[in-house]
Amino acid sequence: MSDLAQHKGYKSIVRPEPVREMLAEVGQRVELIRAQRAMTRKRLAELSGVSLAYLARLEAGKGNISLQLLMQVAAALGVSMEALVAEDSEVSVDQLLLQEFIRQLPADRLAQVRKQLMQTGDQLAIKRSRCIALIGLRGVGKTTLGMLLAKELGRPFVELDKEIENEMGLEIREIFEHLGQSEFRRAERQCLDLLIQSKKPMVLAPAGGIVTELRTYSLLLSSCITVYLKASPEQHILRVQRQKDDRLSAPEVRGEAMEVVWNTLKAREDLYQRADIVLDTTHQTAEQALRELKARLAKLVGQLGEVLD
């Protein structure tokens, strides 16, 4: 028996309106989270063990998914089932990030934060300028610009993925293949926390998907000055091609890659926009982007009463 309902009257079932609305919302969330993960429907089918046809129906809001299959889909996406079926679909990204930030605080800090929030948000400015984090999709220039900025500031440039590889003793590809996405995300948060706790000045480049893990992203936003480097999908593909990535050598693969980049950008844009600075590098050289970034960083840290050194 396949994962599609196998009985004669399946297509003629008339569901109550609340059920149809719930199925539509679950489908939309699955599609959104899949896009945020830069994951094709085919890849989700492989990871979850749920057929492509069933996933198509689910995302279209037409699949009356079982708890077992929903658990498989949630596990493959690296989220809880609650994230897919939560009743309040209108909660903003800011609310979710704030909830995650508060949830991480120890009990003795909650009262202090509550008082600060009731006074003024500016008083919450931590010494974030020690860590400047560049976020954005792969190919946007995080490594190139990050290394230039680190040299200008006399700081080390740290790639979070390399810290994870050193911690796990495996390459990122091997972590995903053998341990799964959830283990990678656990290691990502742990390594980020260790870097922040070190209190050492640095320029940090996390993987683009860090924004989809709200608990980790909340930690990043509250502890570092974050800079969203953005570029057009066409520029993303061109820059990745210049890195001589064999995965984009065939024309049909480039077309699929462009679609994935476009969908991922669209799905993550609201999350990326929570950064302190948004810098569009589409029509800029690395040197031009560096000059603009330095000027905007100097202005921001001045407003926060901090010193950029």
Side-chain angles (χ1 to χ4, degrees), residues 12-13 43 53 70 72 76 78 115 144 157 184 205 215 228 242 261 309:
S12 63
I13 293 175
R43 181 58 176 160
L70 191 60
Q72 292 172 217
K115 292 177 182 177
T144 300
F157 173 66
F184 169 78
R215 188 179 178 202
Y228 168 31
R242 291 186 193 124
V261 168
D309 54 18

Side-chain angles (χ1 to χ4, degrees), residues 37-289:
R37 299 285 194 270
M39 188 184 295
T40 64
R41 191 180 291 159
K42 179 180 178 182
R43 181 58 176 160
L44 179 56
E46 293 171 351
L47 293 173
S48 66
V50 178
S51 74
L52 266 172
Y54 198 84
L55 285 175
R57 290 183 58 82
L58 173 62
E59 292 186 0
K62 299 177 182 178
N64 192 13
I65 191 166
S66 69
L67 287 177
Q68 176 61 45
L69 294 181
L70 191 60
M71 286 178 61
Q72 292 172 217
V73 171
L77 289 171
V79 300
S80 65
M81 282 184 61
E82 289 83 355
L84 300 182
V85 299
E87 289 186 16
D88 190 354
S89 60
E90 300 301 321
V91 176
S92 72
V93 171
D94 287 317
Q95 285 176 290
L96 291 171
L97 289 170
L98 186 58
Q99 288 169 6
E100 285 297 332
F101 173 69
I102 292 174
R103 192 166 66 86
Q104 296 169 52
L105 291 175
D108 59 351
R109 281 273 290 133
L110 283 173
Q112 180 184 354
V113 169
R114 177 183 57 79
K115 292 177 182 177
Q116 288 174 320
L117 283 171
M118 292 176 68
Q119 293 170 2
T120 169
D122 293 339
Q123 298 303 316
L124 282 176
I126 308 169
K127 189 71 178 175
R128 294 186 296 139
S129 60
R130 279 193 298 258
C131 175
I132 299 172
L134 308 182
I135 62 175
L137 287 188
R138 179 187 175 204
V140 77
K142 289 178 293 186
T143 299
T144 300
L145 190 55
M147 293 178 71
L148 289 173
L149 180 63
K151 184 177 180 181
E152 287 281 320
L153 298 178
R155 299 180 176 190
F157 173 66
V158 180
E159 291 185 285
L160 188 55
D161 274 3
K162 293 192 182 300
E163 297 295 310
I164 295 170
E165 289 179 334
N166 292 337
E167 179 71 20
M168 301 289 287
L170 295 169
E171 293 182 3
I172 298 299
R173 173 185 55 81
E174 295 174 318
I175 296 173
F176 273 94
E177 287 181 359
H178 302 300
L179 301 177
Q181 182 166 201
S182 60
E183 184 63 20
F184 169 78
R185 295 303 177 191
R186 184 203 62 77
E188 180 180 55
R189 175 173 171 74
Q190 178 180 322
C191 288
L192 175 62
D193 192 44
L194 288 173
L195 289 172
I196 290 170
Q197 292 301 322
S198 74
K199 298 183 179 180
K200 295 178 181 177
M202 71 185 77
V203 175
L204 177 68
I210 196 170
V211 300
T212 67
E213 303 303 315
L214 292 183
R215 188 179 178 202
T216 307
Y217 190 33
S218 177
L219 175 63
L220 188 76
L221 290 173
S222 62
S223 306
C224 309
I225 287 180
T226 51
V227 181
Y228 168 31
L229 301 180
K230 63 183 297 184
S232 67
E234 293 80 7
Q235 276 296 314
H236 275 288
I237 297 300
L238 284 174
R239 292 173 185 178
V240 174
Q241 283 180 304
R242 291 186 193 124
Q243 297 171 7
K244 301 190 184 300
D245 192 328
D246 293 336
R247 291 174 295 179
L248 300 181
S249 57
E252 63 274 11
V253 175
R254 284 198 298 273
E256 182 180 2
M258 179 71 77
E259 182 180 357
V260 171
V261 168
W262 176 255
N263 290 336
T264 305
L265 276 173
K266 183 178 178 182
R268 291 181 183 171
E269 184 67 17
D270 201 27
L271 293 163
Y272 283 138
Q273 288 288 341
R274 267 56 192 177
D276 296 291
I277 295 173
V278 178
L279 180 62
D280 193 332
T281 67
T282 301
H283 302 295
Q284 290 186 326
T285 64
E287 291 72 21
Q288 290 171 332

Side-chain angles (χ1 to χ4, degrees), residues 23-40:
L23 290 174
E25 288 176 4
V26 171
Q28 289 168 5
R29 288 175 196 162
V30 170
E31 186 175 18
L32 175 62
I33 295 171
R34 178 173 63 77
Q36 289 176 342
R37 299 285 194 270
M39 188 184 295
T40 64

